[in-house]
Amino acid sequence: MPPENADLIGTGVTGLAAQLRSGALSSRDLVSASLERAAALDELNAHITLAEDAVKRADALDQQLAERGPVGPLHGIPLSVKDNYRTAGIRTTGGMGVLRDWTPDTDAAVVQRLTDAGAVIVGKTNMHEYSFGITSDNPHFGPVRNPLDPTRSAGGSSGGSGAAVAARIVPAAMGTDTGGSVRIPAAVCGAVGLKPTRDRLPLDGVLQVSYGFDVPGPITQDVTDSALLMHVLTSGETVAPSALPTDAAALRGVRIGIPVGDYWADNHPEVERVYREAAQRFADAGAELREVTVEHAEIGSETGFLIATPEAVVLVAELFRERGLGSIEQRLDDFGADVAALLRSQIGADASPVPAHEYLDAINETVPAIRRGYLTALSDVDVLLTPTAPAPAIPLAETGQMQHNGRSVDPFPTFVRYTFGLSVIGLPAISVPAGTTSDGLPVGVQLVGAHHAESTLLRLARAFEHTSD
């Protein structure tokens, strides 16, 4: 694999878009480089399917540019999307074996917005089966491997998107985030992952896991590219890349909330170190660090599981009926062990389904209480700063049970500790690379803002990037 292809894709969306418009690059060359790099790094298993007509579309976009036709902000840029987005003419599996032969005839709304802006979809990224996990150790299509250490997980459920961006197969990719599924892969792969406010982006054409938690979100190499994709996807409602800070001075006087209490203390020692160093970088740039208490944060994840698990059963059953695949009860054996166990907890002879009154109480009472806790904490600061995940990427051998601070634990609830609660209440958050462990594994930190504060998060995250070499 020519090393210059990695350098080329590593230029990022914003830089590549400028070179394409100037004629320094052609879309054909760029898309071909992306596909060649995907083939060369096949061991990462970042994609389930590569688009057969990607080069043909690139040629058409090159011709359009040559004829001085209208071009969009993503004109000719190769992007990948998670395999739970419907894509016309490209198979969509949702990471499920039962859908391995399904090719939709329409695009998801987010995919349509990307292609309307000129993007070339080069592939569908591998993922945790049915988005219902955080390891992307897929039983049907194989595990996604972390580009920084292929013996380790790339996180999930959007693991393929995180790996494809970190490995410079594509300059950016779309994931979806139900409880951390954009932010966690970004953190453990060394990329930027943005979870927008709930309802900020459309879910039409996404194979959903939850009615209320799912959101589309970009995974990018840097914050500028995240801002560009969000600016495109929101039709200009969020900050333009040109308006982002050009140095760390934008952090002066910004109030950064540091959550305190036992709940925030169970971090891998090196994650804790990087997190503290990141907080100090904010302070050194002139930000004010304030300790805050987040009431009810400790029940965010368990509330998320209580609500999302029965919703996932209903949604996958609806999908199966739509596709003529029979009842979910008949197809449980077609799922991998971990997802099947979650589904069986709600249906079947040995099920202990969530009682209706507990589900309704969680939505009507517990979720508002968690929301009040976070919003109260945010009322006296501009953003909260937390670790994105309490541990770095785990070995693929530990995707069933992981070792964490001297004990054996389930990776799923462990990794969503700081992310799921924000999905439950719909707040936006962005994970940015903050450093590495002593053996070179990436560690991300998460900035959390009030509803529809994506522009603020992007500005502060970009300023934080300027604090590092």
Side-chain angles (χ1 to χ4, degrees):
M1 178 62 199
E4 60 268 19
N5 280 9
D7 295 337
L8 179 62
I9 302 297
T11 304
V13 178
T14 307
L16 292 172
Q19 292 184 58
L20 283 162
R21 285 192 296 271
S22 71
L25 281 176
S26 72
S27 182
R28 168 181 263 270
D29 289 342
L30 189 52
V31 168
S32 296
S34 177
L35 293 171
E36 289 170 13
R37 190 155 177 79
L41 296 177
D42 183 61
E43 67 164 348
L44 298 179
N45 206 26
H47 287 87
I48 291 177
T49 305
L50 293 173
E52 295 179 357
D53 66 346
V55 174
K56 181 179 178 181
R57 172 165 166 77
D59 286 340
L61 291 167
D62 284 336
Q63 183 64 32
Q64 181 181 351
L65 189 61
E67 295 172 352
R68 301 185 182 278
V71 299
L74 302 178
H75 189 91
I77 299 290
L79 300 177
S80 291
V81 298
K82 186 177 179 179
D83 204 26
N84 63 341
Y85 287 92
R86 298 185 192 220
T87 42
I90 310 174
R91 73 168 173 166
T92 299
T93 72
M96 294 179 278
V98 293
L99 292 180
R100 66 171 65 246
D101 297 322
W102 178 39
T103 301
D105 54 11
T106 58
D107 283 329
V110 162
V111 175
Q112 187 65 59
R113 291 184 183 186
L114 293 172
T115 55
D116 284 349
V120 180
I121 306 302
V122 296
K124 307 294 293 296
T125 54
N126 201 354
M127 55 184 285
H128 203 101
E129 183 181 25
Y130 187 45
S131 300
F132 216 18
I134 55 86
T135 67
S136 297
D137 189 358
N138 191 293
H140 311 291
F141 303 102
V144 181
R145 297 181 179 275
N146 195 305
L148 283 301
D149 179 350
T151 69
R152 294 179 180 267
S153 166
S157 63
S158 309
S161 293
V165 171
R168 305 303 190 248
I169 295 171
V170 287
M174 291 299 298
T176 58
D177 194 310
T178 305
S181 292
V182 162
R183 291 162 286 165
I184 291 167
V188 302
C189 289
V192 174
L194 175 65
K195 184 199 90 68
T197 304
R198 182 186 305 159
D199 298 331
R200 171 68 91 172
L201 298 178
L203 284 164
D204 301 349
V206 173
L207 307 186
Q208 288 184 245
V209 184
S210 166
Y211 290 105
F213 302 160
D214 294 341
V215 291
I219 297 178
T220 59
Q221 295 173 17
D222 58 32
V223 175
T224 301
D225 285 355
S226 185
L228 175 57
L229 262 65
M230 279 300 294
H231 197 66
V232 168
L233 291 169
T234 62
S235 300
E237 291 179 1
T238 54
V239 63
S242 59
L244 293 176
T246 56
D247 55 37
L251 294 175
R252 292 174 188 158
V254 173
R255 300 164 302 169
I256 307 289
I258 306 295
V260 295
D262 292 344
Y263 182 72
W264 307 94
D266 188 27
N267 298 315
H268 185 286
E270 296 216 63
V271 168
E272 183 68 19
R273 171 183 60 79
V274 172
Y275 171 57
R276 295 299 167 187
E277 290 173 352
Q280 188 60 49
R281 283 162 56 187
F282 276 103
D284 291 345
E288 176 188 351
L289 305 185
R290 295 187 181 184
E291 292 187 348
V292 297
T293 300
V294 185
E295 296 287 346
H296 309 302
E298 71 280 358
I299 60 174
S301 292
E302 65 183 73
T303 302
F305 281 112
L306 187 153
I307 294 171
T309 304
E311 290 185 347
V313 175
V314 173
L315 284 162
V316 77
E318 290 179 355
L319 175 64
F320 277 25
R321 284 194 295 272
E322 174 194 336
R323 303 303 317 144
L325 297 172
S327 72
I328 185 64
E329 290 84 355
Q330 295 171 324
R331 306 305 297 258
L332 281 173
D333 290 340
D334 291 320
F335 289 91
D338 63 333
V339 175
L342 287 166
L343 298 176
R344 284 195 175 97
S345 71
Q346 303 300 305
I347 56 177
D350 299 323
S352 299
V354 174
H357 71 277
E358 288 188 15
Y359 175 84
L360 293 173
D361 285 348
I363 289 177
N364 295 323
E365 298 179 15
T366 311
V367 172
I370 298 169
R371 183 180 294 112
R372 285 195 298 273
Y374 274 96
L375 293 181
T376 299
L378 280 163
S379 65
D380 198 36
V381 296
D382 297 297
V383 291
L384 302 178
L385 176 68
T386 80
T388 306
I394 58 173
L396 287 169
E398 294 185 14
T399 55
Q401 285 287 114
M402 63 178 279
Q403 295 302 308
H404 181 64
N405 289 344
R407 61 191 193 277
S408 180
V409 296
D410 184 341
F412 200 173
T414 301
F415 265 86
V416 300
R417 183 180 186 90
Y418 304 134
T419 56
F420 208 168
L422 300 171
S423 296
V424 168
I425 60 177
L427 291 183
I430 188 169
S431 178
V432 291
T436 62
T437 65
S438 58
D439 51 357
L441 296 176
V443 175
V445 295
Q446 176 179 238
L447 289 171
V448 182
H451 290 98
H452 300 108
E454 288 86 356
S455 293
T456 296
L457 294 178
L458 288 163
R459 289 189 182 100
L460 297 183
R462 180 60 182 141
F464 175 72
E465 285 184 328
H466 286 300
T467 67
S468 171
D469 294 332

